[in-house]
Amino acid sequence: MDNNLLIEKTKAFVKEKCYGEGSGHDWYHIYRVYNTAKFIAEKEGGDLFIIEMTALLHDIDDWKFSEGTETDTTITERFLHSLNISQEIIYKIITIIKTMSFKGGVADSSQNTIEGMIVQDADRLDAIGAIGIARTFAYGGKKGKLIYEPSNNQLVDEKEYNEKGSNTSISHFYDKLLKIKDLMNTDTAKEIAIERHKFLENFLKEFLDEWNGVK
């Protein structure tokens, strides 16, 4: 089957699965990651088919939506086999998906291929800047987290983060978001991350200045 047709079938599959999801991991997140990954690939290279397919499928079996802390890729693998994609390509896609998640910034999520680096960078870029801030509060609300609680805003360790996430949406900035700029793999993503990181810092300053309502 033609690669373009495979990509279109994958888009339809993912959109059906994720459209309307309320935690910030919805179809529009995936589509942004897909577009960003293609943009980075234009400058950095790599197998575009693997990059596009991985970007589209990266959240289908994400660990954040299961009871455990590992990514079980059963649904993704079943779908890829239904497209009669070669086992070699399936292996490459699944390997990237299983190792790309942040997991507190402590667990090893290093990528050994340019394709993995690009998709991971694209996903991480969507976690910072204006969109990243919006997604943080959407995810926090979905999980019943307070926006901010000065008396309970301590950072969590890797185990706690994987099990329960950050204590509040604002502490999530310190547990994860402010670390992301320095975790980029490609030069292209590093350049984009600089401005988005500054936006995070400016937002936090404004938020904390306004917290007591007397700025």
Side-chain angles (χ1 to χ4, degrees):
M1 191 181 297
D2 176 76
N3 283 354
N4 290 328
L5 183 56
L6 291 171
I7 289 167
E8 290 307 310
K9 284 181 174 291
T10 302
K11 286 179 183 177
F13 169 75
V14 174
K15 188 171 184 178
E16 181 182 0
K17 287 279 186 183
C18 299
Y19 191 87
E21 195 281 331
S23 76
H25 298 81
D26 60 342
W27 162 246
Y28 293 110
H29 158 67
I30 291 169
Y31 195 57
R32 285 192 302 272
V33 172
Y34 169 77
N35 285 329
T36 302
K38 288 199 299 178
F39 176 81
I40 297 172
E42 288 177 5
K43 300 176 182 297
E44 304 286 345
D47 185 317
L48 189 58
F49 178 68
I50 291 175
I51 290 167
E52 290 184 81
M53 291 293 286
T54 306
L56 288 169
L57 292 164
H58 77 276
D59 266 347
I60 291 296
D61 294 293
D62 194 88
W63 67 280
K64 290 185 288 298
F65 308 120
S66 68
E67 296 300 319
T69 61
E70 299 300 323
T71 300
D72 176 359
T73 55
T74 301
I75 296 172
T76 303
E77 291 182 56
R78 188 182 301 131
F79 172 73
L80 288 169
H81 282 296
S82 77
L83 297 178
N84 294 316
I85 292 174
S86 74
Q87 188 58 46
E88 179 184 2
I89 291 177
I90 291 175
Y91 174 79
K92 290 178 180 179
I93 292 171
I94 295 301
T95 298
I96 296 169
I97 290 172
K98 283 188 170 182
T99 57
M100 67 180 284
S101 194
F102 184 87
K103 296 186 180 178
V106 182
D108 183 14
S109 57
S110 56
Q111 296 296 317
N112 298 315
T113 66
I114 187 60
E115 293 81 14
M117 292 177 185
I118 287 171
V119 177
Q120 186 179 65
D121 281 354
D123 188 39
R124 287 177 170 174
L125 283 170
D126 206 57
I128 57 178
I131 292 289
I133 291 170
R135 292 180 65 223
T136 293
F137 291 109
Y139 186 76
K142 183 86 168 182
K143 293 295 184 177
K145 304 287 185 181
L146 294 175
I147 292 176
Y148 180 54
E149 172 51 67
S151 65
N152 184 29
N153 217 44
Q154 297 83 9
L155 304 189
V156 295
D157 61 24
E158 178 191 4
K159 183 174 183 296
E160 291 175 298
Y161 184 88
N162 289 344
E163 290 177 352
K164 299 183 296 183
S166 299
N167 289 325
T168 69
S169 291
I170 289 297
S171 63
H172 184 66
F173 282 72
Y174 300 97
D175 286 324
K176 175 179 178 178
L177 304 189
L178 292 171
K179 300 176 182 178
I180 288 177
K181 175 177 69 70
D182 295 327
L183 297 175
M184 293 296 168
N185 301 293
T186 64
D187 289 340
T188 303
K190 288 174 183 176
E191 290 180 15
I192 298 170
I194 291 171
E195 288 303 313
R196 296 195 185 190
H197 182 84
K198 288 179 182 176
F199 196 92
L200 295 181
E201 292 180 322
N202 291 337
F203 173 83
L204 275 175
K205 181 180 183 304
E206 181 69 18
F207 178 93
L208 295 171
D209 284 349
E210 292 181 11
W211 178 251
N212 291 318
V214 292
K215 180 185 175 185

